[in-house]
Amino acid sequence: MEKGRIVLGCLAPHPPHLVYAENPEQNEPFSEGGWETLRWGYNKLARKLKNIDYDVMVIFTPHWATYIGTHFLGLPKFNSLSVDPIFPNIFRYKYDLTVDVELAEAMEKSASDSGIITKMMRNPDFRIDYGTITSCHMLNPDWDKPIVTISSNRNAHYYSGEVMNEQATALGEACLKAIEESGKKVVLVSSHSLSHRHFVTESPLPEDMSREHIYNHSQYVWDMKMVGMMRDGKMREVVDIMPEYTEQTIAETEAGGLTWMMAAMNFPQYPAEIYGYQSVIGTGNAIVAWDPNSETREIVL
Amino acid sequence: MSTKSNILFGIYCPPHPQPLLAPELNQGYGNLRSAYDTLKTRIEESGADIILVYSTTWPSIVGHQIQAHPEPEWTHVDDDFHFLGSMPYKFKIDSDFSNEYMEAAKKRGLHSRTVAYDGFPIDTGSIVALSLLNPDNKIPACIISSNMYSNRSETIVLGKAANDALSTQGKKAVVVVVASLSNRMFTEHINPSEDRIHSPKDDEWNRKILEFFKDGRLEDLSQLSRDIHGQIRIQKVAAYKPVWWMAATMGQHNNYDGEILAYEALHGSGGAIIQLTPSDGSVGDKEFDEDDVEYYQGDRNVLGQGAL
């Protein structure tokens, strides 16, 4: 069996506003658009993914937050209605998705063998979080590939950003081992914003772009520093400053997704593909991809 | 200080699903379940018009969200404790009150909105509380979110707005605050029969807080909220808010009869079930040194002032 490998890593923010703005048939509310910089970036990355041969999408989500270890989806099918608890006015999405349980179990075992607290989630009534749905929908609106969702263990809350980094790194390495042993070609998805301070009010028309801007300039400067380092291929350095960045910007990197993905990809030292950066209700969101194949790697923006 | 209250009594109870789904796994879980059962009967006999639930496991960002679906129905599964089972529910919500509360909050300067969507994900804490305290929906309820960015003034005003709405509609309420005391859980899976409070420090703080509750010193606890947050709360949100809301809703004083019905560990966190009933007596003579806020003015824009 050929050794499995990661064929692409994606930083894929999940504001439900992006699905809302796309008006897919699965989502009940109707919008007049909005957040085009991000949506068009996502559309371009989705087109790239159509030309990449992969078997499964593995996604790490902050909106399945677990405090007792890291959990993995462990049933082959989930279909239900996802209503965003924060923005129910814009996201009521009917999903029907397939899980690669074999790979999920392999990653869970690999993580457990390396000393990480783990659990398989096998309750059929479990509702898939909107982070998973938003990122996966924007990357693959056809939903024609199975996924694996990994919960985010909240080490940053319980311990510190440094502990989060260490444990997410260990999880990334364990997942890579399982992927290599599986023989599968895998797309990794780290689902989150960068800076993550929200406005606490919403305009009457959520997609009114005259009201959209970053929460404050400090968040913007930090986000640009991170995007610049990604563009320069300095992902080890990005992970090194992650605790301070997370604290300064209340960044959603606190959940560990980016550290997990970078560890699984051995901390890329090549330039990331930048697909877009825009604020959503004040938060900073970048769509970024890491393509290990130098022949298909692009300078997008 | 006001002693006038629309509140018949208040309840403080934990959000964890063990007392609902698995009371048999640990004697403590069973004790908590018995306490819920006791309070269920007391609520039924109280003559309350409404059960008002403030849940720390329903975070909001866009202002303060208030559940207004008349009959929310779903089968919920907890993110961590999914292996304990599912939680089917169907509640009766007083939508008319929910809208009144939203308007009252707006009048006090808060950004607030109701939510009434089929399939809206009601949180574990609210489901546990309403399923155990009001299993037959004999009394309509209202559920209020906990804004993750709000701090003291906003939360105090939110509590006062609840009282405004009750006064406007002439309703008597039982208020239910869903929150742990210490909220540090074990970060590994445990044998439930070996559950205990995570650390002696957490246990000692919990017991001190319980002394205050037992003496009816709710406003004193409200004044201690920041200390409690720093000492025994995982820093997931800006502040420890439930006693702010509870004190503001119940009248901002120390005139209560307190009863601790149970105090047990829930995967390491401190789970207490407490009843506070308004009374004539008062304990404590603390000098309250934080402003009493009537109207929320919003951000003070400290960063913007003095900028070049």
Side-chain angles (χ1 to χ4, degrees):
Chain A
M1 184 174 67
E2 189 179 346
K3 190 175 168 183
R5 59 196 166 88
I6 296 164
V7 296
L8 196 72
C10 305
L11 172 56
H14 57 244
H17 306 66
L18 305 180
V19 169
Y20 166 67
E22 291 275 296
N23 285 316
E25 62 181 12
Q26 298 100 318
N27 199 37
E28 183 189 335
F30 176 79
S31 79
E32 297 177 1
W35 304 281
E36 279 74 15
T37 303
L38 285 173
R39 289 198 291 123
W40 293 346
Y42 253 128
N43 296 159
K44 183 169 175 58
L45 180 52
R47 289 195 294 274
K48 178 184 175 90
L49 273 167
K50 281 290 181 193
N51 294 318
I52 291 177
D53 179 24
Y54 70 99
D55 302 305
V56 55
M57 196 175 269
V58 177
I59 181 165
F60 184 107
T61 176
H63 290 286
W64 180 10
T66 52
Y67 292 91
I68 310 163
T70 299
H71 301 216
F72 299 76
L73 284 186
L75 290 171
K77 292 286 288 182
F78 288 91
N79 59 79
S80 186
L81 171 70
S82 174
V83 179
D84 187 309
I86 307 296
F87 305 102
N89 50 323
I90 63 172
F91 191 84
R92 303 189 295 277
Y93 185 102
K94 287 180 179 165
Y95 62 87
D96 185 355
L97 57 85
T98 304
V99 175
D100 184 338
V101 178
E102 183 182 53
L103 181 61
E105 288 175 339
M107 289 194 293
E108 187 269 344
K109 182 175 186 309
S110 178
S112 180
D113 289 347
S114 67
I116 297 168
I117 306 298
T118 61
K119 191 83 175 175
M120 293 301 295
M121 202 307 296
R122 301 194 196 275
N123 188 323
D125 296 324
F126 187 78
R127 187 147 51 170
I128 306 301
D129 69 287
Y130 71 91
T132 292
I133 293 169
T134 297
S135 294
C136 289
H137 177 93
M138 296 303 292
L139 290 170
N140 180 25
D142 295 333
W143 289 93
D144 56 358
K145 301 282 186 181
I147 69 165
V148 172
T149 294
I150 304 175
S151 79
S152 52
N153 180 246
R154 294 314 177 99
N155 304 295
H157 289 162
Y158 266 61
Y159 302 105
S160 66
E162 287 78 7
V163 171
M164 176 276 289
N165 254 355
E166 288 183 18
Q167 295 204 5
T169 297
L171 181 65
E173 291 168 353
C175 288
L176 174 61
K177 184 169 181 287
I179 289 166
E180 288 179 340
E181 291 173 357
S182 74
K184 293 178 177 174
K185 294 181 280 292
V186 174
V187 171
L188 296 188
V189 180
S190 182
S191 170
H192 56 86
S193 303
L194 291 179
S195 65
H196 203 229
R197 184 57 164 91
H198 302 79
F199 293 115
V200 293
T201 60
E202 188 177 57
S203 60
L205 187 69
E207 61 267 37
D208 180 353
M209 289 296 98
S210 70
R211 307 279 288 271
E212 187 62 81
H213 60 86
I214 194 75
Y215 187 84
N216 66 35
H217 187 62
S218 170
Q219 312 272 50
Y220 167 78
V221 172
W222 265 106
D223 285 349
M224 286 303 107
K225 176 69 176 173
M226 297 293 273
V227 171
M229 293 171 77
M230 292 173 187
R231 194 189 294 280
D232 293 341
K234 295 180 176 176
M235 291 315 299
R236 174 67 76 179
E237 291 86 343
V238 165
V239 171
D240 285 346
I241 66 167
M242 192 79 76
E244 184 175 1
Y245 166 72
T246 302
E247 183 177 345
Q248 293 292 329
T249 65
I250 325 175
E252 212 172 16
T253 49
E254 67 161 1
L258 189 56
T259 303
W260 160 79
M261 186 166 73
M262 291 300 100
M265 299 185 76
N266 199 23
F267 302 97
Q269 298 297 305
Y270 50 80
E273 297 175 344
I274 310 297
Y275 286 85
Y277 174 87
Q278 191 175 19
S279 67
V280 179
I281 197 163
T283 64
N285 299 275
I287 300 167
V288 184
W290 287 264
D291 186 348
N293 184 345
S294 59
E295 293 181 4
T296 55
R297 192 181 306 145
E298 303 173 73
I299 297 175
V300 180
L301 291 174
Chain B
M1 183 180 82
S2 168
T3 55
K4 183 183 175 186
S5 178
N6 299 299
I7 312 300
L8 297 169
F9 58 87
I11 293 170
Y12 191 104
C13 60
H16 298 75
Q18 284 86 344
L20 175 66
L21 296 175
E24 72 284 358
L25 292 181
N26 174 298
Q27 187 177 343
Y29 305 164
N31 292 342
L32 289 164
R33 177 63 172 265
S34 297
Y36 277 112
D37 292 344
T38 299
L39 290 175
K40 172 184 77 102
T41 304
R42 291 181 186 175
I43 291 173
E44 285 174 359
E45 296 170 349
S46 71
D49 301 305
I50 187 169
I51 299 171
L52 197 51
V53 179
Y54 173 90
S55 176
T56 55
T57 52
W58 180 13
S60 57
I61 288 173
V62 181
H64 303 275
Q65 296 193 142
I66 302 169
Q67 181 59 245
H69 193 299
E71 281 195 331
E73 183 175 15
W74 198 258
T75 297
H76 174 71
V77 176
D78 186 72
D79 281 352
D80 260 310
F81 298 106
H82 43 79
F83 51 90
L84 291 179
S86 305
M87 292 174 260
Y89 65 81
K90 184 175 185 179
F91 298 133
K92 187 165 82 175
I93 298 294
D94 184 342
S95 305
D96 190 35
F97 179 82
S98 299
N99 285 297
E100 185 75 50
Y101 191 179
M102 175 189 69
E103 294 300 332
K106 286 181 176 176
K107 285 176 187 169
R108 285 184 178 266
L110 298 170
H111 189 82
S112 177
R113 68 182 183 189
T114 56
V115 295
Y117 301 99
D118 289 343
F120 182 89
I122 294 181
D123 60 290
T124 296
S126 297
I127 293 167
V128 170
L130 285 176
S131 298
L132 291 174
L133 295 172
N134 190 38
D136 302 319
N137 288 312
K138 289 181 178 172
I139 299 168
C142 174
I143 309 172
I144 303 105
S145 68
S146 176
N147 184 287
M148 62 181 294
Y149 295 117
S150 70
N151 215 299
R152 182 178 179 274
S153 62
E154 199 168 349
T155 308
I156 294 280
V157 170
L158 183 67
K160 291 184 176 181
N163 227 323
D164 294 344
L166 290 169
S167 295
T168 301
Q169 296 202 338
K171 289 178 176 170
K172 294 291 184 186
V174 170
V175 302
V176 177
V177 166
V178 182
S180 303
L181 296 178
S182 62
N183 67 345
R184 180 175 289 275
M185 294 194 295
F186 293 110
T187 53
E188 64 267 24
H189 300 282
I190 62 167
N191 182 338
S193 66
E194 298 171 357
D195 206 347
R196 59 178 173 79
I197 301 295
H198 190 276
S199 69
K201 179 194 176 194
D202 283 358
D203 189 39
E204 288 167 10
W205 264 95
N206 290 340
R207 291 181 187 280
K208 177 54 71 178
I209 293 167
L210 291 173
E211 281 181 31
F212 277 68
F213 270 121
K214 190 168 186 304
D215 288 340
R217 298 171 65 182
L218 181 57
E219 181 58 23
D220 283 353
L221 276 174
S222 176
Q223 296 286 328
L224 284 169
S225 186
R226 296 188 201 282
D227 295 295
I228 293 168
H229 187 66
Q231 291 293 335
I232 57 165
R233 300 288 292 184
I234 302 299
Q235 309 288 301
K236 291 186 276 190
V237 292
Y240 172 63
K241 290 169 265 200
V243 291
W244 283 333
W245 184 87
M246 190 176 196
T249 304
M250 293 188 66
Q252 295 179 290
H253 53 76
N254 287 325
N255 302 339
Y256 304 97
D257 289 331
E259 181 182 1
I260 313 302
L261 287 90
Y263 166 59
E264 303 288 352
L266 285 162
H267 207 90
S269 69
I273 297 184
I274 302 156
Q275 178 176 343
L276 283 179
T277 307
S279 71
D280 295 329
S282 181
V283 174
D285 57 355
K286 284 181 70 71
E287 183 73 25
F288 301 148
D289 58 0
E290 292 206 61
D291 280 349
D292 185 18
V293 193
E294 297 292 340
Y295 185 89
Y296 182 60
Q297 305 282 353
D299 291 342
R300 291 167 57 198
N301 194 24
V302 173
L303 293 176
Q305 292 178 16
L308 295 174

